[in-house]
Amino acid sequence: MPDTSSLMQGIRSRLGHLIPLGFNTATDLSDLYEAYVFSILIRAAQNEGGSISYKDALGQDAQYLIFRRSPGQIYVSTQAYTHAVIKFDHKPTLEAHVGIRVQGRSRVSHECDLCVLLEDEATNCRNNLYEPRHNKVIIAVECKYYTSELPLHLGRSFIGLASDLRVEEEISLFCHSPR
């Protein structure tokens, strides 16, 4: 079973300069797991030829990564939360965020543990103080780190989330739980 040190080792091997501190409770492991899955996504983008940079909530180059530890709005700039800017040749620029709220088809706000969306949408959301629209989300990932069997209600809530977001490309559930 992955523990704090193996999750941190995986993150450092992919992102290098990210140094998460203070992850030691069950809640912290869930947050750390989100950062771990984020690092997998970043490595996958690099493997496909994408260039990656990191920006803070004010659009400045980030010296280190700060992830939300609870759901929040993309436009909040009271903390220097960081996101990845992902560029591919001849494709629209993307942003990858941890823990932002996205507006579903029903106009209900949902937390995306990991969200990849068009940079234009993210910029408009920050400038005009609204949550990203479901139809502008490219990838939505739900992350669950459990030390016990997954409860049935998680699967049901995931199906509801996937239905309301109706992401154009992909919505995924990354889970860790013992077999």
Side-chain angles (χ1 to χ4, degrees), residues 9 13-14 22 51 66 115:
Q9 181 182 6
S13 73
R14 292 179 194 94
S51 67
I66 300 173
C115 178

Side-chain angles (χ1 to χ4, degrees), residues 149-166:
E149 295 296 320
L150 296 175
L152 179 60
H153 72 86
L154 287 180
R156 290 180 175 154
S157 64
F158 176 73
I159 291 169
L161 172 70
S163 174
D164 197 34
L165 289 184
R166 197 177 280 178

Side-chain angles (χ1 to χ4, degrees), residues 107-126:
R107 300 201 186 276
V108 171
S109 176
H110 298 280
E111 177 191 2
C112 283
D113 292 332
L114 180 58
C115 178
V116 178
L117 68 155
L118 298 169
E119 181 186 50
D120 289 346
E121 175 73 355
T123 299
N124 287 335
C125 290
R126 284 189 290 272

Side-chain angles (χ1 to χ4, degrees), residues 4-178:
T4 302
S5 63
S6 61
L7 290 174
M8 288 174 66
Q9 181 182 6
I11 293 167
R12 284 189 182 118
S13 73
R14 292 179 194 94
L15 302 179
H17 59 283
L18 174 64
I19 304 172
L21 301 173
F23 290 102
N24 53 20
T25 68
T27 302
D28 290 338
L29 280 173
S30 292
D31 293 334
L32 185 60
Y33 189 62
E34 289 174 6
Y36 179 77
V37 174
F38 177 86
S39 73
I40 292 171
L41 181 126
I42 296 305
R43 178 61 57 89
Q46 290 171 323
N47 288 346
E48 292 299 318
S51 67
I52 310 296
S53 61
Y54 299 98
K55 301 283 186 183
D56 66 19
L58 298 174
Q60 305 297 314
D61 290 336
Q63 300 301 314
Y64 50 91
L65 303 182
I66 300 173
F67 295 127
R68 288 174 181 80
R69 308 249 341 238
S70 60
Q73 283 77 23
I74 192 171
Y75 53 82
V76 170
S77 61
T78 55
Q79 291 285 332
Y81 297 122
T82 51
H83 60 273
V85 177
I86 306 169
K87 295 183 179 185
F88 293 99
D89 290 339
H90 313 295
K91 300 287 182 186
T93 301
L94 305 172
E95 288 187 8
H97 293 263
V98 173
I100 62 168
R101 294 194 176 278
V102 173
Q103 187 180 90
R105 289 184 306 130
S106 65
R107 300 201 186 276
V108 171
S109 176
H110 298 280
E111 177 191 2
C112 283
D113 292 332
L114 180 58
C115 178
V116 178
L117 68 155
L118 298 169
E119 181 186 50
D120 289 346
E121 175 73 355
T123 299
N124 287 335
C125 290
R126 284 189 290 272
N127 291 340
N128 298 303
L129 308 180
Y130 67 88
E131 294 171 345
R133 297 166 289 181
H134 69 92
N135 60 342
K136 302 297 182 179
V137 173
I138 306 299
I139 299 172
V141 178
E142 180 71 11
C143 300
K144 297 295 179 199
Y145 187 94
Y146 274 72
T147 56
S148 60
E149 295 296 320
L150 296 175
L152 179 60
H153 72 86
L154 287 180
R156 290 180 175 154
S157 64
F158 176 73
I159 291 169
L161 172 70
S163 174
D164 197 34
L165 289 184
R166 197 177 280 178
V167 172
E168 293 297 320
E169 297 296 327
E170 189 72 40
I171 185 163
S172 300
L173 176 63
F174 278 75
C175 292
H176 171 272
S177 119

